[in-house]
PDB file of all heavy atoms in Angstrom:
ATOM      1  N   ASP A 230      -1.013 -15.186   2.788  1.00 71.00           N
ATOM      2  CA  ASP A 230      -2.455 -15.234   3.036  1.00 71.00           C
ATOM      3  C   ASP A 230      -3.117 -13.863   2.980  1.00 71.00           C
ATOM      4  O   ASP A 230      -4.336 -13.764   3.033  1.00 71.00           O
ATOM      5  CB  ASP A 230      -2.720 -15.865   4.413  1.00 71.00           C
ATOM      6  CG  ASP A 230      -2.258 -17.313   4.475  1.00 71.00           C
ATOM      7  OD1 ASP A 230      -2.316 -17.980   3.427  1.00 71.00           O
ATOM      8  OD2 ASP A 230      -1.834 -17.755   5.555  1.00 71.00           O
ATOM      9  N   GLN A 231      -2.301 -12.813   2.886  1.00 85.00           N
ATOM     10  CA  GLN A 231      -2.850 -11.461   2.862  1.00 85.00           C
ATOM     11  C   GLN A 231      -2.922 -10.948   1.425  1.00 85.00           C
ATOM     12  O   GLN A 231      -1.916 -10.870   0.727  1.00 85.00           O
ATOM     13  CB  GLN A 231      -2.006 -10.516   3.703  1.00 85.00           C
ATOM     14  CG  GLN A 231      -2.579  -9.097   3.754  1.00 85.00           C
ATOM     15  CD  GLN A 231      -1.697  -8.140   4.539  1.00 85.00           C
ATOM     16  OE1 GLN A 231      -0.575  -8.472   4.882  1.00 85.00           O
ATOM     17  NE2 GLN A 231      -2.204  -6.947   4.805  1.00 85.00           N
ATOM     18  N   VAL A 232      -4.127 -10.614   0.997  1.00 93.00           N
ATOM     19  CA  VAL A 232      -4.346 -10.068  -0.345  1.00 93.00           C
ATOM     20  C   VAL A 232      -4.972  -8.693  -0.195  1.00 93.00           C
ATOM     21  O   VAL A 232      -5.989  -8.529   0.488  1.00 93.00           O
ATOM     22  CB  VAL A 232      -5.260 -10.981  -1.178  1.00 93.00           C
ATOM     23  CG1 VAL A 232      -5.545 -10.349  -2.540  1.00 93.00           C
ATOM     24  CG2 VAL A 232      -4.638 -12.364  -1.349  1.00 93.00           C
ATOM     25  N   ILE A 233      -4.355  -7.696  -0.808  1.00 94.00           N
ATOM     26  CA  ILE A 233      -4.894  -6.332  -0.772  1.00 94.00           C
ATOM     27  C   ILE A 233      -5.664  -6.080  -2.059  1.00 94.00           C
ATOM     28  O   ILE A 233      -5.123  -6.206  -3.164  1.00 94.00           O
ATOM     29  CB  ILE A 233      -3.771  -5.294  -0.620  1.00 94.00           C
ATOM     30  CG1 ILE A 233      -3.036  -5.501   0.711  1.00 94.00           C
ATOM     31  CG2 ILE A 233      -4.329  -3.873  -0.701  1.00 94.00           C
ATOM     32  CD1 ILE A 233      -1.839  -4.591   0.905  1.00 94.00           C
ATOM     33  N   SER A 234      -6.945  -5.751  -1.922  1.00 95.00           N
ATOM     34  CA  SER A 234      -7.794  -5.465  -3.075  1.00 95.00           C
ATOM     35  C   SER A 234      -7.799  -3.970  -3.346  1.00 95.00           C
ATOM     36  O   SER A 234      -7.948  -3.158  -2.425  1.00 95.00           O
ATOM     37  CB  SER A 234      -9.219  -5.963  -2.806  1.00 95.00           C
ATOM     38  OG  SER A 234     -10.063  -5.658  -3.899  1.00 95.00           O
ATOM     39  N   MET A 235      -7.643  -3.605  -4.617  1.00 96.00           N
ATOM     40  CA  MET A 235      -7.621  -2.200  -5.032  1.00 96.00           C
ATOM     41  C   MET A 235      -8.628  -2.011  -6.155  1.00 96.00           C
ATOM     42  O   MET A 235      -8.739  -2.873  -7.032  1.00 96.00           O
ATOM     43  CB  MET A 235      -6.212  -1.808  -5.477  1.00 96.00           C
ATOM     44  CG  MET A 235      -5.166  -2.004  -4.386  1.00 96.00           C
ATOM     45  SD  MET A 235      -3.452  -2.111  -5.024  1.00 96.00           S
ATOM     46  CE  MET A 235      -3.485  -3.729  -5.820  1.00 96.00           C
ATOM     47  N   LYS A 236      -9.357  -0.882  -6.140  1.00 95.00           N
ATOM     48  CA  LYS A 236     -10.485  -0.710  -7.050  1.00 95.00           C
ATOM     49  C   LYS A 236     -10.219   0.227  -8.218  1.00 95.00           C
ATOM     50  O   LYS A 236     -11.018   0.294  -9.154  1.00 95.00           O
ATOM     51  CB  LYS A 236     -11.704  -0.208  -6.270  1.00 95.00           C
ATOM     52  CG  LYS A 236     -12.204  -1.210  -5.233  1.00 95.00           C
ATOM     53  CD  LYS A 236     -13.431  -0.677  -4.515  1.00 95.00           C
ATOM     54  CE  LYS A 236     -13.940  -1.687  -3.491  1.00 95.00           C
ATOM     55  NZ  LYS A 236     -15.135  -1.174  -2.760  1.00 95.00           N
ATOM     56  N   ASN A 237      -9.128   0.980  -8.159  1.00 95.00           N
ATOM     57  CA  ASN A 237      -8.847   1.903  -9.260  1.00 95.00           C
ATOM     58  C   ASN A 237      -7.346   2.166  -9.348  1.00 95.00           C
ATOM     59  O   ASN A 237      -6.576   1.745  -8.490  1.00 95.00           O
ATOM     60  CB  ASN A 237      -9.622   3.217  -9.101  1.00 95.00           C
ATOM     61  CG  ASN A 237      -9.386   3.878  -7.755  1.00 95.00           C
ATOM     62  OD1 ASN A 237      -8.234   4.137  -7.387  1.00 95.00           O
ATOM     63  ND2 ASN A 237     -10.460   4.141  -7.015  1.00 95.00           N
ATOM     64  N   LYS A 238      -6.940   2.869 -10.406  1.00 94.00           N
ATOM     65  CA  LYS A 238      -5.521   3.109 -10.647  1.00 94.00           C
ATOM     66  C   LYS A 238      -4.881   3.940  -9.539  1.00 94.00           C
ATOM     67  O   LYS A 238      -3.716   3.727  -9.182  1.00 94.00           O
ATOM     68  CB  LYS A 238      -5.332   3.785 -12.017  1.00 94.00           C
ATOM     69  CG  LYS A 238      -5.583   2.856 -13.202  1.00 94.00           C
ATOM     70  CD  LYS A 238      -5.411   3.594 -14.511  1.00 94.00           C
ATOM     71  CE  LYS A 238      -5.452   2.640 -15.709  1.00 94.00           C
ATOM     72  NZ  LYS A 238      -6.706   1.870 -15.784  1.00 94.00           N
ATOM     73  N   SER A 239      -5.637   4.888  -8.996  1.00 96.00           N
ATOM     74  CA  SER A 239      -5.093   5.714  -7.920  1.00 96.00           C
ATOM     75  C   SER A 239      -4.776   4.866  -6.693  1.00 96.00           C
ATOM     76  O   SER A 239      -3.740   5.052  -6.044  1.00 96.00           O
ATOM     77  CB  SER A 239      -6.082   6.825  -7.552  1.00 96.00           C
ATOM     78  OG  SER A 239      -6.215   7.737  -8.618  1.00 96.00           O
ATOM     79  N   GLN A 240      -5.655   3.923  -6.366  1.00 97.00           N
ATOM     80  CA  GLN A 240      -5.406   3.044  -5.227  1.00 97.00           C
ATOM     81  C   GLN A 240      -4.197   2.147  -5.483  1.00 97.00           C
ATOM     82  O   GLN A 240      -3.399   1.887  -4.576  1.00 97.00           O
ATOM     83  CB  GLN A 240      -6.633   2.187  -4.939  1.00 97.00           C
ATOM     84  CG  GLN A 240      -7.762   2.921  -4.253  1.00 97.00           C
ATOM     85  CD  GLN A 240      -8.878   1.982  -3.814  1.00 97.00           C
ATOM     86  OE1 GLN A 240      -8.813   0.764  -3.994  1.00 97.00           O
ATOM     87  NE2 GLN A 240      -9.916   2.560  -3.225  1.00 97.00           N
ATOM     88  N   ILE A 241      -4.045   1.681  -6.712  1.00 97.00           N
ATOM     89  CA  ILE A 241      -2.893   0.839  -7.047  1.00 97.00           C
ATOM     90  C   ILE A 241      -1.600   1.630  -6.873  1.00 97.00           C
ATOM     91  O   ILE A 241      -0.651   1.178  -6.233  1.00 97.00           O
ATOM     92  CB  ILE A 241      -3.012   0.300  -8.488  1.00 97.00           C
ATOM     93  CG1 ILE A 241      -4.247  -0.596  -8.621  1.00 97.00           C
ATOM     94  CG2 ILE A 241      -1.751  -0.491  -8.867  1.00 97.00           C
ATOM     95  CD1 ILE A 241      -4.564  -0.993 -10.049  1.00 97.00           C
ATOM     96  N   ALA A 242      -1.552   2.828  -7.449  1.00 97.00           N
ATOM     97  CA  ALA A 242      -0.348   3.670  -7.362  1.00 97.00           C
ATOM     98  C   ALA A 242      -0.037   4.018  -5.911  1.00 97.00           C
ATOM     99  O   ALA A 242       1.125   3.968  -5.474  1.00 97.00           O
ATOM    100  CB  ALA A 242      -0.531   4.937  -8.198  1.00 97.00           C
ATOM    101  N   ALA A 243      -1.075   4.375  -5.146  1.00 97.00           N
ATOM    102  CA  ALA A 243      -0.874   4.737  -3.745  1.00 97.00           C
ATOM    103  C   ALA A 243      -0.374   3.547  -2.926  1.00 97.00           C
ATOM    104  O   ALA A 243       0.473   3.706  -2.035  1.00 97.00           O
ATOM    105  CB  ALA A 243      -2.176   5.272  -3.154  1.00 97.00           C
ATOM    106  N   THR A 244      -0.879   2.354  -3.220  1.00 97.00           N
ATOM    107  CA  THR A 244      -0.453   1.150  -2.497  1.00 97.00           C
ATOM    108  C   THR A 244       0.997   0.813  -2.808  1.00 97.00           C
ATOM    109  O   THR A 244       1.774   0.448  -1.907  1.00 97.00           O
ATOM    110  CB  THR A 244      -1.362  -0.036  -2.854  1.00 97.00           C
ATOM    111  OG1 THR A 244      -2.721   0.280  -2.515  1.00 97.00           O
ATOM    112  CG2 THR A 244      -0.935  -1.299  -2.107  1.00 97.00           C
ATOM    113  N   ILE A 245       1.393   0.946  -4.062  1.00 98.00           N
ATOM    114  CA  ILE A 245       2.785   0.697  -4.436  1.00 98.00           C
ATOM    115  C   ILE A 245       3.711   1.668  -3.721  1.00 98.00           C
ATOM    116  O   ILE A 245       4.760   1.283  -3.185  1.00 98.00           O
ATOM    117  CB  ILE A 245       2.958   0.796  -5.967  1.00 98.00           C
ATOM    118  CG1 ILE A 245       2.207  -0.347  -6.665  1.00 98.00           C
ATOM    119  CG2 ILE A 245       4.438   0.762  -6.353  1.00 98.00           C
ATOM    120  CD1 ILE A 245       2.155  -0.219  -8.169  1.00 98.00           C
ATOM    121  N   LEU A 246       3.331   2.937  -3.694  1.00 97.00           N
ATOM    122  CA  LEU A 246       4.132   3.944  -2.990  1.00 97.00           C
ATOM    123  C   LEU A 246       4.223   3.619  -1.500  1.00 97.00           C
ATOM    124  O   LEU A 246       5.316   3.664  -0.904  1.00 97.00           O
ATOM    125  CB  LEU A 246       3.526   5.334  -3.192  1.00 97.00           C
ATOM    126  CG  LEU A 246       4.151   6.463  -2.373  1.00 97.00           C
ATOM    127  CD1 LEU A 246       5.620   6.659  -2.717  1.00 97.00           C
ATOM    128  CD2 LEU A 246       3.362   7.767  -2.574  1.00 97.00           C
ATOM    129  N   LYS A 247       3.089   3.298  -0.875  1.00 96.00           N
ATOM    130  CA  LYS A 247       3.068   3.018   0.559  1.00 96.00           C
ATOM    131  C   LYS A 247       3.949   1.828   0.900  1.00 96.00           C
ATOM    132  O   LYS A 247       4.760   1.886   1.853  1.00 96.00           O
ATOM    133  CB  LYS A 247       1.632   2.751   1.007  1.00 96.00           C
ATOM    134  CG  LYS A 247       1.505   2.451   2.497  1.00 96.00           C
ATOM    135  CD  LYS A 247       0.062   2.151   2.886  1.00 96.00           C
ATOM    136  CE  LYS A 247      -0.053   1.787   4.361  1.00 96.00           C
ATOM    137  NZ  LYS A 247      -1.445   1.428   4.738  1.00 96.00           N
ATOM    138  N   LYS A 248       3.838   0.739   0.163  1.00 96.00           N
ATOM    139  CA  LYS A 248       4.637  -0.449   0.437  1.00 96.00           C
ATOM    140  C   LYS A 248       6.120  -0.154   0.217  1.00 96.00           C
ATOM    141  O   LYS A 248       6.984  -0.640   0.971  1.00 96.00           O
ATOM    142  CB  LYS A 248       4.195  -1.613  -0.466  1.00 96.00           C
ATOM    143  CG  LYS A 248       2.844  -2.203  -0.106  1.00 96.00           C
ATOM    144  CD  LYS A 248       2.888  -2.884   1.246  1.00 96.00           C
ATOM    145  CE  LYS A 248       1.564  -3.529   1.608  1.00 96.00           C
ATOM    146  NZ  LYS A 248       1.602  -4.151   2.961  1.00 96.00           N
ATOM    147  N   SER A 249       6.440   0.640  -0.773  1.00 96.00           N
ATOM    148  CA  SER A 249       7.823   0.999  -1.049  1.00 96.00           C
ATOM    149  C   SER A 249       8.423   1.796   0.102  1.00 96.00           C
ATOM    150  O   SER A 249       9.552   1.555   0.545  1.00 96.00           O
ATOM    151  CB  SER A 249       7.930   1.796  -2.351  1.00 96.00           C
ATOM    152  OG  SER A 249       7.490   1.029  -3.451  1.00 96.00           O
TER     153      SER A 249
END
Side-chain angles (χ1 to χ4, degrees):
D230 296 328
Q231 182 183 11
V232 176
I233 298 176
S234 178
M235 301 160 289
K236 296 181 179 179
N237 54 55
K238 288 179 172 58
S239 293
Q240 284 188 1
I241 297 171
T244 301
I245 293 172
L246 173 62
K247 180 182 177 183
K248 288 294 182 182
S249 298

